[in-house]
Amino acid sequence: MLLFRKKNNSEFYRFFRNVLGYTPRNEEIYKVALTHKSMSQEIGNGHKINNERLEYLGDAVLSAIVADYLYQKFPYQGEGFLTEMRSKMVSRASLNKLSRKLGLDDLVICDHHSNNISKSMGGNTFEALVGAIYIDRGFRFTKKVLLQRVFSLHMDLDEVEKTTVNYKGKLIDWGQKRSKKVTFETVRVIHNGKHERNQFECRALIAGKPAESGIDYTIKGAEQMAAMHTLEKLPQDPAE
């Protein structure tokens, strides 16, 4: 069983009462969500308890909630805009910022001297928290908490929309760290008629092998979309 020190217990309950607006039913699942792998607890047969499994679950739940939220909020925007906005909202930079605003960073149980601590610990913990809320209260309740207590109070969508994320640079950097050359190619030009601008479809190549593609009205934009789609499908190192 995971135990908090008395001070942390009071902070734990204060966080849920004041920040998220409810009292947990299954306290243990939330304490697992706050346990970084540097403080894993072994329960036998080599099995360790930490928040990585909840992070995996929370990532999927969060993505679905954000996708639905954006679909309802921007009824006239296309798939490209919605996909890019979702990527910005659930990016590690965005989730790390949310974690700090919520005060979640102060609740994480971790070994601050461990080499396993990454700059994304806050964002990862936020995803694990989402997974814990989902297990404790279900999808509808999780969506309500995120929309009413997190996004509406701590995330400025106008600011998010204006944020420029260099997905192409991030993908190239990803490849350089792994000695894999990343290039881009224009697959086709989409002719949209006499009075419409042409679009371009570009594809990312990793070590010469085709990855994901993207479509935009400029080659630069299409390459950014291709890089964004590719990054979504690539495994990331825990330390990144």
Side-chain angles (χ1 to χ4, degrees), residues 94-154:
S94 180
L95 297 187
N96 287 341
K97 187 175 181 180
L98 263 183
S99 181
R100 290 192 296 272
K101 283 186 174 182
L102 294 172
L104 188 58
D105 287 12
D106 298 330
L107 292 177
V108 180
I109 305 169
C110 66
D111 178 359
H112 292 284
H113 302 290
S114 171
N115 293 327
N116 289 327
I117 302 297
S118 77
K119 60 184 179 182
S120 297
M121 183 176 69
N124 295 342
T125 303
F126 179 81
E127 287 184 335
L129 174 65
V130 172
I133 301 173
Y134 171 75
I135 289 177
D136 186 36
R137 295 293 188 97
F139 184 83
R140 287 187 178 182
F141 187 87
T142 306
K143 180 180 177 181
K144 179 181 177 181
V145 169
L146 290 181
L147 297 188
Q148 295 182 3
R149 306 289 299 203
V150 179
F151 296 151
S152 64
L153 299 178
H154 301 285

Side-chain angles (χ1 to χ4, degrees), residues 16-119:
F16 283 93
R17 184 175 61 251
N18 297 342
V19 179
L20 298 185
Y22 73 100
T23 301
R25 291 174 179 169
N26 182 353
E27 296 178 10
E28 288 302 311
I29 197 67
Y30 291 101
K31 292 178 181 180
V32 172
L34 296 171
T35 303
H36 185 261
K37 65 181 179 180
S38 64
M39 291 292 285
S40 297
Q41 295 191 24
E42 191 165 334
I43 59 174
N45 298 321
H47 182 67
K48 296 181 178 180
I49 296 180
N50 57 52
N51 65 7
E52 288 188 326
R53 282 170 52 83
L54 283 172
E55 179 190 337
Y56 158 79
L57 177 63
D59 174 66
V61 174
L62 178 63
S63 182
I65 290 173
V66 170
D68 180 73
Y69 169 65
L70 293 173
Y71 183 84
Q72 302 296 334
K73 188 168 183 63
F74 300 102
Y76 303 111
Q77 292 288 358
E79 181 268 346
F81 172 87
L82 297 176
T83 299
E84 185 169 1
M85 278 293 289
R86 182 183 62 185
S87 294
K88 289 178 179 180
M89 287 181 69
V90 302
S91 70
R92 275 295 166 273
S94 180
L95 297 187
N96 287 341
K97 187 175 181 180
L98 263 183
S99 181
R100 290 192 296 272
K101 283 186 174 182
L102 294 172
L104 188 58
D105 287 12
D106 298 330
L107 292 177
V108 180
I109 305 169
C110 66
D111 178 359
H112 292 284
H113 302 290
S114 171
N115 293 327
N116 289 327
I117 302 297
S118 77
K119 60 184 179 182

